Amino acid sequence: MAMENNLKNQPQPDPNEGFFKALARAYAAAEGNALREEQADLESSHRLPPGTGLDKKIKRKQAAGRFRSYALRTLPLAASLIIAVWVYNGYVATKTPYSSGPSAGASSADSSSAAADSAPDTETELLRSGVAFVSVSLPAGYQVTGIDYDNRQAVLDIENIENNRIVLTLTAGGVLENEGYTAVSLNGGTAYGMVRNDYSVLTYHKDGMLYTLTSPYGCEDLIEISKNIL
Amino acid sequence: MLIILTFESNADRQKFEYLFNQYKRLLLYKAYGILRDCALAEDAVSEAYIRIYRNLNKITDVQSPQAVSFLITIVKNTSLTLLDKRKNTDAYDSFDHESDGFDLEKSILSEVITNDMLKLVDRLNEDIRAPFLLKYAHDLSHREIAALLHITENNVTVRIHRAKKKLAVLFKEAGYGHGK
């Protein structure tokens, strides 16, 4: 009796499963064929929408995916290169006169001179740290395509997935000039922006560095990049 | 949230690109038919292709009519979701456990599936037809259907049950099982 009750309480297999499968598959096949005929008819009568807006949405996601895959593959190499550059610069710095600390018994003038000469070194380190920080902080869809160092500045060429170019200039100890700019609140900090007919600028201070971004394509990219920096 | 599309293999990429390039305009046309708004139709189809991307392994032959049926099922779901005509999910959270008392297979086991029978499936509401087709035509599990349609697994179970029960009633009304 107990066993019979147990059997009754167990879920019974649906005897119609096979029929439902056959029915659903036949329906899907018929529906698919009807849709393809309808598509051919609509195409011949030019009644299908162009879908260009959809192209942009989906292909942008695909391009971001390609960039991400590339970035993930090259990230270990990029990290190794950055570390190698740091180590090399550290090695070179120990060999330049500027990096020597004041020796015992040196005059105060010599000490001041040595301190002043180490300033460019600090700024160089600051610039390189800033460049490394920007490189790893870029949002998906952006990549650094070139870096130039000049005196107290580092200039980064950045491109988005639509190949729009943005220039980011880092100036160690740079002075922020915001006359004529509009203050923009960004992640709790303040940036200053300006939009002209043929270019846009966004500039701000962070950790002793002046960041200035320019683009001929509007300020959306400048803000998107700066969200991860400021 | 930025959704990006990455593919494990070139074959997957080609499969997706074929489905996109071949059917995007048809799906837009169908979505517009429901939403009557170009921007919303684009959103619905865009969302549909994201779901298709996540279930690419469920489409074995991109050129088969079943693949088109799969796409249209998803687009109808995303369109109706945007249209906000989904029924309250509470209505599908429970169902009676009584047997429908009508054994379809015994009655029409010897009959082939006819166009008249397919028209009965057409009479199901999209809410219950979609999970029914996804399970029986495309072999998705309840969990996969829930993820695809953005409903709970329990909801999926209830809707499929309702579909089968409704089909049993429709078949009975159409005279199947009485020697038709």
Side-chain angles (χ1 to χ4, degrees), chain A residues 13-193:
Chain A
D14 188 336
N16 303 313
E17 286 294 283
F19 173 74
F20 286 131
K21 265 193 185 171
L23 180 68
R25 286 177 182 176
Y27 182 88
E31 183 184 44
N33 282 325
L35 284 166
R36 286 156 70 168
E37 286 175 17
E38 186 181 5
Q39 180 178 15
D41 181 51
L42 290 167
E43 269 176 355
S44 64
S45 57
H46 307 290
R47 283 184 289 152
L48 283 177
T52 46
L54 189 64
D55 276 348
K56 286 181 186 174
K57 284 182 181 174
I58 295 296
K59 288 185 177 173
R60 184 180 179 129
K61 295 182 195 318
Q62 275 188 285
R66 283 196 294 270
F67 171 74
R68 182 193 186 206
S69 297
Y70 173 77
L72 285 174
R73 285 198 302 272
T74 59
L75 195 59
L77 176 62
S80 304
L81 283 173
I82 290 171
I83 291 169
V85 167
W86 275 342
V87 168
Y88 174 76
N89 284 331
Y91 173 78
V92 169
T94 61
K95 298 299 177 188
T96 64
Y98 292 118
S99 66
S100 308
S103 54
S107 66
S108 59
D110 288 339
S111 299
S112 304
S113 172
D117 289 339
S118 70
D121 229 35
T122 308
E123 286 178 351
T124 303
E125 285 303 314
L126 196 63
L127 279 176
R128 294 192 188 280
S129 297
V131 167
F133 174 67
V134 169
S135 299
V136 299
S137 300
L138 286 178
Y142 293 87
Q143 59 175 334
V144 175
T145 56
I147 305 174
D148 266 327
Y149 290 92
D150 180 22
N151 200 9
R152 293 165 61 211
Q153 284 188 333
V155 180
L156 288 83
D157 278 323
I158 299 170
E159 279 187 13
N160 67 7
I161 57 171
E162 291 172 352
N163 297 321
N164 293 342
R165 187 165 166 254
I166 301 107
V167 176
L168 167 59
T169 305
L170 288 84
T171 308
V175 174
L176 194 155
E177 310 221 356
N178 57 5
E179 187 176 342
Y181 285 67
T182 303
V184 177
S185 178
L186 201 61
N187 289 350
T190 304
Y192 296 89

Side-chain angles (χ1 to χ4, degrees), chain B residues 27-65:
Chain B
L27 299 187
L28 270 175
Y29 178 84
K30 290 296 184 182
Y32 183 81
I34 296 172
L35 292 161
R36 296 297 177 192
D37 182 291
C38 292
L40 285 178
E42 268 186 24
D43 287 345
V45 176
S46 178
E47 173 62 24
Y49 271 109
I50 299 299
R51 297 187 192 185
I52 290 163
Y53 157 76
R54 289 176 175 154
N55 291 273
L56 215 49
N57 61 326
K58 294 300 171 189
I59 303 173
T60 47
D61 182 1
V62 295
Q63 295 183 339
S64 67

Side-chain angles (χ1 to χ4, degrees), chain B residues 46-146:
Chain B
S46 178
E47 173 62 24
Y49 271 109
I50 299 299
R51 297 187 192 185
I52 290 163
Y53 157 76
R54 289 176 175 154
N55 291 273
L56 215 49
N57 61 326
K58 294 300 171 189
I59 303 173
T60 47
D61 182 1
V62 295
Q63 295 183 339
S64 67
Q66 286 82 358
V68 191
S69 172
F70 185 73
L71 300 186
I72 207 70
T73 300
I74 298 174
V75 162
K76 280 182 186 174
N77 176 264
T78 57
S79 300
L80 290 172
T81 301
L82 280 177
L83 195 60
D84 201 25
K85 278 190 177 178
R86 307 305 284 170
K87 290 185 181 178
N88 190 321
T89 54
D90 290 341
Y92 289 117
D93 279 348
S94 63
F95 59 97
D96 55 80
H97 292 264
E98 294 174 9
S99 164
D100 55 23
F102 182 75
D103 191 331
L104 286 165
E105 195 161 1
K106 276 187 190 171
S107 304
I108 45 180
L109 193 60
S110 60
E111 298 190 33
V112 297
I113 305 290
T114 65
N115 281 339
D116 284 343
M117 292 181 191
L118 299 184
K119 285 177 185 173
L120 297 179
V121 178
D122 250 345
R123 289 173 60 182
L124 295 176
N125 283 338
E126 184 60 30
D127 275 4
I128 57 176
R129 184 174 57 227
F132 172 80
L133 290 177
L134 289 170
K135 177 183 170 79
Y136 289 108
H138 303 290
D139 296 325
L140 268 69
S141 67
H142 285 210
R143 175 173 292 188
E144 288 168 332
I145 296 171

